[in-house]
Amino acid sequence: MTVPKAHLKLPYLLHGGDYNPDQWQAYPQIIDQDFTMMPQAGVNTVTVGVFSWAALEPEEGHYDFGWLDQVFDRVEAMNGRVILATPSGARPHWLADRYPEVLRTDEYGRQALFGGRHNHCFTAPSYREQTQQINRKLAERYGQRPSLLLWHISNEFGGECHCDLCQAAFRQWVQKKYQTLAAVNEAWWTPFWGHTLTAWDQIHSPSPIGDTNLKGLNLDWRRFVTDQTIDFYENEIQPLRELTPEIPITTNFMTDTPAMMPFHGLDYQKFATHLDVISWDSYPAWGNDQESTADLGLKVAMINDYYRSLKQQDFLIMESSPSLVNWHPFNRPKRPGVNRLAGLQNIASGSDSMLYFQWRQSRGASEMFHGAVVDHHGSTATRTFQEVSQLGADLKQLAPVRQLPHVPARVALVFDYDNMCALADSEAYADTTKQYWQTLQQHYAYFWRHDIPIDVISPQADLAPYQLVLDPMHFLMDQAWIDKVADFTQAGGTVVGTYLSGVVDERTLAYLGDQPQRLHELYGVQTTEVDTLYPHQHNGVHYGDQTYPAQDYCEVITNQTASVLATYTADFYAGQPAITKNQYGAGTAYYLAARTDAACLTALYHQLATELDLHPTYPLAKASSDISIQVRGDQNQRYLFVMNFGETANTINLTQPLTEVLSNRTYPAGAQELAPYQVLVFHELIK
Ligand code: GLA
Ligand code: GLA
C-alpha cells in the first residue's frame, strides 16, 4: 500500500468544476468564449480529463495531448488551477475491442458490450496495465505544470464484476482470510440447506441464479469489492506517486440521493485511508415537495460531516449542479439564492471548494439537459450564471477560511458500513422500516438544530476526543468495538445505544446465550424479544411527564443493573422499560429500546446536552432552528456562517457588533433579520 503523503496547497477557495472541451474540438470559438467567461464567473479551477481517454489516446500508443496542453496554458494565463483526472472512468472503443476481458460480467454471468462508463473489470490485468500507461504519460507531461493542484482518480468508483478473473481473486481473498474451508463453512453457516463447501473452487460470488442467502458470503463479497476497487485504484496511482509525489490524490465519492447517504456499494471509511484529500459529488434535490429546505439542509449537513470525519480534515465538493440535474425523478432548478446557500453551507461544514458539473452544457448525448454554468444559450445573462458569479465573488471574500478548520466536535455519531450491509441483508424485522441512515439522521438532528458540532465516525475511529458517542442500530458489532465503547464509557464517557444492536458478530453469526456479555454489562439490559410493528401500529413511551409515540421497533428488555427512565404504555409489555440509564465505571450508558419520535429524542438529548455541558460553538440567539450557525476558526479568529434555510424570514440576535464579510459592513448589536435562504458570514478576532 502506498502511504498517502501529499498535502493540498490551496491558493484560494476553489470555484469552477468539470470542464470537458474535448467534446467541443470542432468549435474553437466556444472554447475561446469559455476562457472569456470563466473569470467573469469567478472560476479559478477546472477539472479536466474525466472520460477523455479516447481524445488523449485515439489509437493504442498514439497520443494527442495538444488540446489538453492548451487547457493548461489558458488556465495558467488566468492564474487558475487544474484538477487533472485520470481517464479510466470510460475506456476507448479500441481498448474494449482489443482486450475484451476489461468488459464487466454481471451477476448472471453476462459480459457487457462496449458502452456506458464506470463499467470495467477491476481485476483484468490488461486494464490495469493500460490505465498505468496513460496515467504515466499524464504525469510525465503535466506533473511539473505549476497549475496542477490535484489528481482526480477515475470517476465515482462503483459496481462489481463477476468474471472468472474476479472469481479467482475472490477465492484467494477468502482463502487468505479464513485459511481453512471449515472456517468458511462456519462463518457462512453453509450446512443450512446443505450448502457445505468441499473445495475452494466451489466458492462463487453471490448471484440470483446461485447463492444469495449466505449472509457471510454476501458481506464478504461486499468487503472484497471494496478491497478489489482499492487495489485497482492503488495500481492506477502508482505512476503518479512515483513521478509526482508532491501532488495530492483524491477520487470523487458519491452519495445516494434523495436519502443523502453514502453510496452503499463501497466502504468509503476504508477507502478514505488511501486518499490524501476527500472529495464528493453533491446533488441534493433542492426544492422538492417531500421536505422543507431546512430538513434537506440537515441531511446535507450530516453527509458533509461524514465526509469531513473520514480523515478529520477539510474536504472538497468536487461536483454539484449550479441549477438542476437530469437524473432526479423531477429535475427542478435551484430556487434563487439556493446555489449561494448550498455553496456557503458546504464551506461552513469544512469544504474548501464549490465545483460544478459541468462548466458548459453538452450539445448532445446523455447529459445534454443537465444544468451547467453556461447553458445552450451560451450567455452570461442567465440567472444561473449570475448566481454562480455571485458565489464566486463571495468565495473570494472568504479566501482566509481555507486555513481554518471546522471547529472540533465533542459528540460522535457512529456509522458502520459492514453494519449497514448486514442489517439490510438480514431477512429480519421489516423490509421498509429498518432505515439505518435515516435513523442516524434522526439522532443527528438535535445537534445540527442546536449548532453543536458533531462528527460522523467509523468504529475504527479514536473515541478520545469525544464526550458523547451515539451508536444507534448497531446490529453487527465485533468484540473490538464492544470493548472500545465499553472502555470509553468506563473511563467517563457517555454512550447512547438503541434497539437492534449487538445481534450478530463480524461474520454475521448470531451471538449465542449471554453474549456479547460486555455489551449487556455496558447497558445493564438484555433484549428478550423484538416487536416489529406494521406502519400504522403504535406503542407509547412514557418519559418524563409525557407520553411519546413509539413505532416500527419496540424491544422487550430485561433490566439487570440500569435505572428505568421510560416505560411502554401499551401491549403485553406495557409498564416494562423502554429507555434506561446505566452507570458503567465512571460513565453512563443510555439504551433506547424503542424507536420514538423526534420530540422524544429532543427531550433526551436536551437532558444529555445539559448534563454534559454541550453547547453551540457560538452562542447566538436565533428565532428558529431553520437558522444554522456553523463555525470555522482557530484560537485567533473565527468565521460564523449564519444560514437561513427557512422559506420565510428569520431573526438572530447579536450580542455585540460584528463585521459581516460578504457585504463588508458592520452589523450593530440587536435583532437582525435574514431573508429566506440568506447567509451572513461574520468575522471575529479572538482577543
Ligand atoms: C417453508 C419451508 C421451510 C422454511 C419455512 C419458513 O415451510 O418448507 O424450510 O423455509 O418455509 O417459513
Ligand atoms: C456524477 C458524475 C458526472 C455527471 C454527474 C451528473 O457526479 O461524476 O460525470 O454524470 O453525476 O449529475
Side-chain angles (χ1 to χ4, degrees), residues 104-280:
R104 211 172 260 185
T105 298
D106 72 9
E107 63 271 40
Y108 293 92
R110 296 175 303 205
Q111 197 184 20
L113 303 175
F114 177 80
R117 58 175 180 170
H118 305 149
N119 53 8
H120 50 274
C121 169
F122 288 127
T123 309
S126 51
Y127 206 58
R128 290 178 172 223
E129 269 164 41
Q130 292 286 334
T131 49
Q132 275 209 358
Q133 272 171 36
I134 185 74
N135 293 359
R136 180 170 292 279
K137 292 274 176 205
L138 289 170
E140 281 167 357
R141 193 166 185 99
Y142 302 107
Q144 303 311 316
R145 281 283 193 157
S147 56
L148 179 62
L149 183 73
L150 176 67
W151 287 109
H152 172 300
I153 305 307
S154 201
N155 193 63
E156 297 193 332
F157 279 113
E160 56 199 54
C161 176
H162 298 254
C163 73
D164 290 346
L165 293 168
C166 288
Q167 300 297 344
F170 180 50
R171 278 172 207 134
Q172 271 177 23
W173 184 98
V174 174
Q175 201 162 0
K176 190 168 165 219
K177 174 167 181 174
Y178 292 102
Q179 306 289 319
T180 68
L181 269 182
V184 182
N185 281 315
E186 159 93 3
W188 295 357
W189 209 248
T190 55
F192 188 75
W193 290 354
H195 288 196
T196 309
L197 297 159
T198 54
W200 288 105
D201 63 7
Q202 293 168 343
I203 290 175
H204 194 283
S205 59
S207 165
I209 52 170
D211 253 320
T212 54
N213 300 93
L214 298 175
K215 304 302 165 192
L217 165 64
N218 294 348
L219 184 58
D220 277 334
W221 174 252
R222 293 258 53 85
R223 291 166 171 152
F224 165 77
V225 168
T226 291
D227 286 351
Q228 197 69 352
T229 306
I230 293 172
D231 194 60
F232 177 87
Y233 157 95
E234 282 289 343
N235 179 77
E236 261 220 78
I237 68 173
Q238 193 272 323
L240 314 180
R241 289 284 192 219
E242 181 193 317
L243 297 171
T244 61
E246 68 296 343
I247 302 293
I249 294 181
T250 191
T251 185
N252 49 342
F253 287 160
M254 51 183 158
T255 294
D256 285 346
T257 309
M260 298 310 289
M261 59 184 290
F263 171 59
H264 61 275
L266 291 171
D267 182 348
Y268 283 165
Q269 290 171 325
K270 192 168 194 191
F271 207 156
T273 60
H274 298 256
L275 272 52
D276 298 327
V277 181
I278 299 298
S279 64
W280 77 281

Side-chain angles (χ1 to χ4, degrees), residues 51 117 155-156 252 281 283 319 327 357 367 370:
F51 314 125
R117 58 175 180 170
N155 193 63
E156 297 193 332
N252 49 342
D281 300 342
Y283 293 103
E319 294 178 22
W327 51 269
F357 175 87
E367 292 176 328
H370 192 288

